[in-house]
Amino acid sequence: MAAAACRVSVFPSPQELGPALAQLVAERAAAAATGGGGGRFSLGLSGGSLVGILSRDLPPAAVGPAAPAGWLVAFCDERLVPPEHPESTLGAYKAQLLPRLPGPGPRVLALTPGLAPAAAAEDYAAQLRQAFPDEDIPVFDLLVLGIGPDGHTCSLFPGHPLLQEKEKIVAAITDSPKPPPERITLTLPVLNAARMVVFVATGEGKAAVLKRILEGEEENPLPAARVRPHSGQLRWFLDEAAAKELTIPLEKHSIL
């Protein structure tokens, strides 16, 4: 991936990264609220460690024009487990973030419980099409994505056939190499249609894969390296531990 294709911001630790990420979300929300998009801010969220980061730092930033009343929140992937299950992304955000946002809260698109994988994917795709009625492929204002040590993002895994999906906006996966095996995920056409995508990665365990993604020119790119918005912006928010092997130009941020 060419360095000029994205901006890479590096922070001393997750504690400094979190407020900057929250400020970015708030800025994009305020821009959507005051722009020509009818006042709605569409936000796609991944789970994992992002839940804790956003839950800690986003609520104080979500005020004024960035208030959540005008947000549409969807999840970039979801495990096929009940909302109360510890692996549920919806459950994690309902427990940690959503109660802390100033009311009235956002509209949240949630997985319909109890459906088989293919039906769950079709149901979630139908929800998205209803929420984005004028777009063949939903165009999110902002997607906040994580990345695994193997280079996966959402539930798009290295070498998996879903990386070639061109038609579906939501796909089912029944053989996830990371448990639980049954999931749904946004596909690359949706990720690459977004107005902005920001990847968040922290910790030394991500350093090697980030070097491959951001500096490598691989014949068969890792899933996260395939996320390159066609007309939108691509950002990376890293801590110093995750960025330690990178030699490309970096925007380094000091402790405030």
Side-chain angles (χ1 to χ4, degrees), residues 2-13:
C6 60
R7 290 175 58 190
V8 182
S9 300
V10 180
F11 302 85
S13 74

Side-chain angles (χ1 to χ4, degrees), residues 28-210:
R28 300 297 292 187
T34 57
R40 187 183 77 171
F41 171 54
S42 52
L43 173 65
L45 297 176
S46 293
S49 61
L50 279 171
V51 182
I53 293 173
L54 290 169
S55 299
R56 182 186 67 229
D57 295 307
L58 181 54
V63 294
W71 296 10
L72 170 74
V73 173
F75 300 111
C76 299
D77 68 329
E78 180 61 285
R79 293 85 171 222
L80 295 192
V81 294
E84 63 274 11
H85 192 282
E87 292 285 352
S88 169
T89 298
L90 169 65
Y93 277 108
K94 284 181 69 174
Q96 298 180 52
L97 173 63
L98 295 177
R100 299 193 60 220
L101 291 175
R107 176 188 174 192
V108 179
L109 300 187
L111 190 69
T112 301
L115 296 179
E122 291 175 3
D123 177 79
Y124 207 70
Q127 291 187 51
L128 285 172
R129 293 197 186 284
Q130 186 177 39
F132 295 84
D134 300 322
E135 299 166 359
D136 291 335
I137 297 177
V139 178
F140 281 88
D141 293 309
L142 178 63
L143 297 177
V144 184
L145 304 182
I147 179 174
D150 61 352
H152 85 267
T153 189
C154 302
S155 284
L156 300 170
F157 293 91
H160 198 280
L162 282 185
L163 296 176
Q164 310 307 320
E165 179 60 57
K166 300 288 196 301
E167 303 299 326
K168 295 177 180 177
I169 60 174
V170 181
I173 178 169
T174 59
D175 56 353
S176 167
K178 181 179 179 182
E182 294 186 339
R183 302 160 174 243
I184 65 166
T185 182
L186 298 185
T187 58
L188 284 170
V190 179
L191 303 186
N192 285 324
R195 295 184 175 92
M196 177 180 281
V197 175
V198 56
F199 278 100
V200 179
T202 61
E204 188 174 347
K206 306 291 177 66
V209 76
L210 286 171

Side-chain angles (χ1 to χ4, degrees), residues 215-230:
E215 298 183 0
E217 295 292 340
E218 300 186 8
E219 183 176 346
N220 188 23
L222 294 170
R226 298 171 187 250
V227 179
R228 305 191 71 175
H230 303 307

